[in-house]
Amino acid sequence: MRFKVVMAGWNCLRFLPRSLDSVAAQDDDAFDVCVVDDASEDERQPEYMEAFCRKAGWRFIRNESQRGGLYNHVAAVAATSPDPDDVIVSVDADDRLSGPDALSRLRDYYEFYRPLLTYGSYQCDPEDDRVTPALHLPDEVILNNAYRQFAARDDIPDPIWFNHLRSVKHELFAMLDPSVDFQHPDGSWLRTCYDLAITIPSLERAGGRHLLIPDILYTYTRDNPLSDCYINQETIPRDKAHIFSLTPKSPLGEIVVPPRLTSCPW
């Protein structure tokens, strides 16, 4: 099993060095990386990315026009040539892994519990006490394969349930249909909510074979003024509506209730 780390960013040069450095510093020795520049306006960003990737032996993609997170994610995954057993790990190019052992700790959970996907809680930089730790999904949601209906509820803040660090087995990710799961009926790609667009159908397919990891493995950059949550407020409702309108996917097998870890077991 290899990790396939996908990193995409637009106009985030200020945060980029520490983000790339955090992945390069990982003590796990079986991971590949693809970095995407989403048509940044500052030419220094793709130049920095390309030079870093060349030195590290990573893949690099430069878009001529801005495509958005989901398109970039799919393109970056394909560029890493994953095998079915490999694990796709998402790290936004303005965020970072919380320590050099983040991937090795993630590997421990995959090898011991054998999940098909994972999610967890993150820390903020600058620190933000308003961040709510990830929560275990209710049993009735898992057993009824009702993730989509649950996340669509107005009284359920979706970031609580599907937080960073997010990862998914490629065999599961490959079962998603970009033309349905990631695009509107007119063929345009969703520009926001890529976390929901990937995680919800993956949870449905996994049938409870997911894991909430209690370790903090991810640091979220709170002070990037160009984050989607700040600049794409008008797009988010349309993208969410599309995700929630889709028919739930059938589980791969009998539904199970996953372990409910509250602290690191070792």
Side-chain angles (χ1 to χ4, degrees), residues 70 73-74 77 88 90 116-117 145 147-148 167-183 189-190 193-207 242-243 246-252:
L70 272 171
H73 190 92
V74 171
V77 168
I88 313 301
S90 305
L116 293 177
L117 73 153
N145 201 29
Y147 305 99
R148 218 171 283 265
S167 70
V168 59
K169 282 278 191 177
H170 183 249
E171 63 177 301
L172 196 66
F173 181 77
M175 294 178 183
L176 306 185
D177 183 351
S179 67
V180 175
D181 298 309
F182 305 156
Q183 297 177 24
W189 286 75
L190 278 67
C193 306
Y194 87 89
D195 49 353
L196 290 176
I198 295 172
T199 305
I200 288 181
S202 297
L203 285 166
E204 292 168 345
R205 281 293 201 184
H242 173 75
I243 295 168
L246 297 176
T247 301
K249 297 185 179 297
S250 299
L252 295 177

Side-chain angles (χ1 to χ4, degrees), residues 20-51:
L20 298 178
D21 285 344
S22 77
V23 177
Q26 292 302 300
D27 59 17
D28 191 275
D29 60 359
F31 68 94
D32 306 298
V33 184
C34 181
V35 180
V36 182
D37 177 72
D38 199 17
S40 294
E41 297 163 356
D42 187 339
E43 285 293 325
R44 293 176 299 171
Q45 175 160 318
E47 291 172 358
Y48 187 94
M49 284 179 166
E50 185 172 20

Side-chain angles (χ1 to χ4, degrees), residues 124-216:
C124 276
D125 183 13
E127 186 175 348
D128 190 339
D129 293 336
R130 295 171 298 175
V131 176
T132 305
L135 301 175
H136 291 285
L137 290 155
D139 285 358
E140 60 268 24
V141 172
I142 298 170
L143 294 173
N144 292 310
N145 201 29
Y147 305 99
R148 218 171 283 265
Q149 303 94 309
F150 181 72
R153 287 171 48 183
D154 291 336
D155 60 330
I156 301 296
D158 55 69
I160 289 179
W161 307 96
F162 312 132
N163 276 341
H164 304 287
L165 179 67
R166 301 184 187 93
S167 70
V168 59
K169 282 278 191 177
H170 183 249
E171 63 177 301
L172 196 66
F173 181 77
M175 294 178 183
L176 306 185
D177 183 351
S179 67
V180 175
D181 298 309
F182 305 156
Q183 297 177 24
H184 291 286
D186 63 4
S188 62
W189 286 75
L190 278 67
R191 300 301 295 267
T192 64
C193 306
Y194 87 89
D195 49 353
L196 290 176
I198 295 172
T199 305
I200 288 181
S202 297
L203 285 166
E204 292 168 345
R205 281 293 201 184
R209 292 164 185 84
H210 63 262
L211 190 67
L212 190 165
I213 293 179
D215 308 42
I216 303 295

